[in-house]
Amino acid sequence: DNFFSVSKNGHVYIWKDEEISEKFKLGDNIESCILSPDNKIVSGGKENELKVWDIETQRPVFTSKNVPRDELDIRVPVWIRSITTPKSDPNILCVGTHYHQYRQYDTRTKTAPHSRQILGRTTDNLTNC
């Protein structure tokens, strides 16, 4: 069996039989990373948009866009802290941000979140999607 590890600076290490078989870079400031049910790496972080990576090509197959500017026309910072996806549909990605926001993406339809809301005090351990 293979497994992977990711450092905060974005280095991915794919391990096979206790040896590193591959490595590549996702970007900087990675705060959250998962392996999706369809065997893709999903990552995001501080000023690092949500991305879905094809392990074979080591290239992103989906990159989210930031939400629109706020009501004062100020850019909303990107800071993804948690990512999850339902096992039944790896195209649905649920994200918790450092700013207590929940966002849901469908990688088949568009790069902007199709659902978003502000939650309570923390989204660090987002488990339900």
Side-chain angles (χ1 to χ4, degrees), residues 3 5 7 17 23 39 86 103 107 110:
F3 71 95
S5 60
S7 63
D17 300 324
K23 58 184 175 182
N39 208 36
R103 297 179 183 159
T107 61
K110 60 183 180 174

Side-chain angles (χ1 to χ4, degrees), residues 60-83:
V61 294
F62 172 85
T63 302
S64 68
K65 288 186 179 175
N66 196 7
V67 295
R69 292 177 169 269
D70 69 12
E71 58 276 353
L72 298 174
D73 198 32
I74 298 172
R75 180 187 168 276
V76 177
V78 175
W79 196 342
I80 295 169
R81 295 290 303 264
S82 60
I83 304 168

Side-chain angles (χ1 to χ4, degrees), residues 28 39 42 50 58 84 86 91 117:
D28 293 320
N39 208 36
V42 184
L50 180 70
Q58 300 178 359
T84 189
N91 294 299
Q117 66 187 61

Side-chain angles (χ1 to χ4, degrees), residues 61-126:
V61 294
F62 172 85
T63 302
S64 68
K65 288 186 179 175
N66 196 7
V67 295
R69 292 177 169 269
D70 69 12
E71 58 276 353
L72 298 174
D73 198 32
I74 298 172
R75 180 187 168 276
V76 177
V78 175
W79 196 342
I80 295 169
R81 295 290 303 264
S82 60
I83 304 168
T84 189
T85 185
K87 291 180 182 174
S88 60
D89 190 352
N91 294 299
I92 302 296
L93 300 172
C94 303
V95 170
T97 75
H98 178 75
Y99 305 102
H100 316 296
Q101 299 163 336
Y102 165 84
R103 297 179 183 159
Q104 190 175 74
Y105 297 83
D106 186 335
T107 61
R108 296 167 294 206
T109 59
K110 60 183 180 174
T111 56
H114 68 82
S115 172
R116 60 187 174 136
Q117 66 187 61
I118 295 177
L119 300 176
R121 296 183 62 154
T122 184
T123 55
D124 286 347
N125 295 314
L126 185 66

